């Protein structure tokens, strides 16, 4: 089977970095480009971090594009309290030397969807949905050309992580999320309900460190850094590896289970802005618009991730 063509839209972020490494290590997917968006940290840093990760994987050939530097209609909220000042705090990493592409990320997304055969490009947003929604707004013709959108964002049973009701990626740009969920393209959602089940516990971190490779050491040190926040907050054994779930789904979907349901985005609520109102129990009568993953084989996920990172 030929590799699935993907565009990773990202705001690295240590867990974004692991997702990018997983994709670059996996022959099942072909990364056509990486588009950076403002999110965990401002855009100059996410565009820098994406290139650092490509260089770490020995993939200077991957094209990295900078996209939107702020949500569609509100100010940027960042997450340095989780990811550190650079977004990739933890190990010391050199500045990237590979260039950023001149083309804007939104233009790259539009041009690629128009150039490739319809139904052959999968979008993998693992940050706020600003770049994707801006592309859909500017070029509505591309929506029906998308094979699938597989995104990390939202939550239902786990409710929120940045507010009591909202998950970070959706909260940062709910208007963008509303456009994407309403667009009509097939959507798969990796929400906190799933990502909070893939925890990097001590032995799992040690498996990365024991590889004795630079990428293995980086994954271990990144997770050492950002797990301090979640361990303290949730009292859990380790940090959730949110974003790699998107890539793992593309490689081994049988690791996950879920339901085809209706998901709406709250953009106006006083306390609930950015909430994903996920009709898990089918009580709304609204038409399903997304496959919402609810469970994951965490051991299988780490087996896959460890095996792939060891290839780099
Ligand atoms: C999401 O928010 C970011 O902090 C992570 O990179 C992930 O994409 C989890 O809520
Ligand atoms: Ca992210």
């Amino acid at each position: 089977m030929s590799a699935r063509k993907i565009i990773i839209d990202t705001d690295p972020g240590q867990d974004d970095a692991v997702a990018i490494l997983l994709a670059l290590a996996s022959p099942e997917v072909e990364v056509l480009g990486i588009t950076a968006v403002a999110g965990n940290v401002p855009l100059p840093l996410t565009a820098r971090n994406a290139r650092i990760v490509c260089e770490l994987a020995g993939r200077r050939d991957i094209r990295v594009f900078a996209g939107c530097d702020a949500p569609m209609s509100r100010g940027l909220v960042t997450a340095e309290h989780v990811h550190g000042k650079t977004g990739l705090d933890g190990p010391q990493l050199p500045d990237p030397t590979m260039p950023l592409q001149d083309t804007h990320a939104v233009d790259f997304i539009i041009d690629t969807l128009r150039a490739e055969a319809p139904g052959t490009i999968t979008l993998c947003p693992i940050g706020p949905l600003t770049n994707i929604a801006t592309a859909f707004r500017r070029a509505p013709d591309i929506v029906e050309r998308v094979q699938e959108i597989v995104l990390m964002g939202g939550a239902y049973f786990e409710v929120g992580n940045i507010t009591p009701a909202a998950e970070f990626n959706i909260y940062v740009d709910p208007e963008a999320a509303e456009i994407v969920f309403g667009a009509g393209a097939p959507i798969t959602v990796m929400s906190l309900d799933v990502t909070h089940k893939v925890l990097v516990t001590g032995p799992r971190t040690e498996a990365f460190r024991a590889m004795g490779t630079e990428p293995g050491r980086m994954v271990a040190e990144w997770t050492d850094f950002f797990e301090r926040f979640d361990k303290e907050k949730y009292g859990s054994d380790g940090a959730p590896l949110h974003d790699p779930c998107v890539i793992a789904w593309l490689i081994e979907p049988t690791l996950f289970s879920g339901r085809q349901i209706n998901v709406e985005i709250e953009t106006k609520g006083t306390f609930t802005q950015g909430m994903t109102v996920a009709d898990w129990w089918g009580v709304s009568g609204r038409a399903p618009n997304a496959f919402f993953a609810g469970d994951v084989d965490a051991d299988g996920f780490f087996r896959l991730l460890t095996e792939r990172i060891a290839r780099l």
Side-chain angles (χ1 to χ4, degrees):
M1 220 174 75
S2 59
R4 189 161 169 172
K5 294 178 181 178
I6 68 170
I7 295 172
I8 302 178
D9 188 68
T10 176
D11 63 338
Q14 292 91 348
D15 61 322
D16 301 71
V18 180
I20 294 168
L21 291 180
L22 175 59
L24 295 180
S26 299
E28 295 87 349
V29 294
E30 179 188 353
V31 181
L32 298 186
I34 296 179
T35 50
V37 68
N40 285 322
V41 284
L43 182 69
L45 287 170
T46 60
R48 167 187 176 270
N49 294 346
R51 287 175 291 148
I52 288 178
V53 178
C54 292
E55 290 190 1
L56 175 64
R59 294 296 303 276
R60 297 174 52 87
D61 59 303
I62 299 289
R63 292 180 298 162
V64 177
F65 302 83
C68 300
D69 62 2
M72 296 182 90
S73 53
R74 39 181 100 209
L76 177 65
V77 175
T78 52
E80 284 90 353
H81 59 294
V82 182
H83 300 275
K85 215 158 40 73
T86 67
L88 270 190
D89 276 18
Q92 205 63 40
L93 286 158
D95 276 334
T97 57
M98 64 185 271
L100 196 57
Q101 300 295 309
D102 292 334
T103 307
H104 192 281
V106 170
D107 292 320
F108 170 72
I109 292 167
I110 294 171
D111 294 348
T112 307
L113 278 159
R114 284 180 177 162
E116 298 281 337
T120 61
I121 305 291
T122 296
L123 302 176
C124 300
I126 52 177
L129 288 160
T130 320
N131 285 344
I132 308 295
T134 305
F136 284 3
R137 237 321 130 77
R138 202 179 293 166
D141 59 290
I142 64 173
V143 173
E144 64 179 27
R145 303 179 72 87
V146 173
Q147 179 178 0
E148 188 180 359
I149 300 167
V150 186
L151 66 89
M152 191 281 134
Y156 180 60
F157 292 100
E158 288 282 310
V159 250
N161 59 359
I162 186 76
T163 72
E167 180 278 331
F168 179 78
N169 289 342
I170 306 295
Y171 177 78
V172 171
D173 199 344
E175 285 75 19
E178 187 179 39
I179 290 171
V180 171
F181 277 83
I187 302 183
T188 293
V189 182
M190 293 292 148
S191 76
L192 298 181
D193 296 349
V194 161
T195 67
H196 278 184
K197 292 180 175 133
V198 291
L199 301 177
V200 206
T201 56
R204 287 170 176 163
T205 312
E206 287 320 307
F208 293 117
R209 212 185 310 274
M211 287 171 191
T213 63
E214 199 58 358
R217 187 169 70 82
M218 290 303 145
V219 172
E221 292 192 19
W222 283 329
T223 52
D224 278 348
F225 178 85
F226 82 90
E227 76 173 5
R228 84 212 181 292
F229 175 79
D230 287 281
K231 269 175 144 171
E232 202 170 297
K233 180 171 159 196
Y234 295 109
S236 55
D237 289 345
L241 268 186
H242 306 283
D243 295 337
C245 288
V246 163
I247 308 298
W249 160 263
L250 296 176
I251 302 169
E252 209 175 316
T254 52
L255 292 173
F256 300 87
S257 59
R259 294 183 183 183
Q260 191 71 32
I261 61 169
N262 176 269
V263 181
E264 302 293 339
I265 310 297
E266 180 56 76
T267 58
K268 296 187 181 65
T270 309
F271 300 109
T272 53
Q273 271 177 45
M275 184 174 188
T276 42
V277 181
D279 189 8
W280 184 261
W281 301 111
V283 293
S284 71
R286 293 188 286 261
N289 59 350
F291 179 80
F292 201 87
D295 207 357
V296 56
D297 168 2
D299 286 335
F301 171 89
F302 278 98
R303 180 214 2 99
L304 173 71
L305 183 63
T306 310
E307 187 254 312
R308 296 304 168 92
I309 297 297
R311 292 183 187 184
L312 292 168

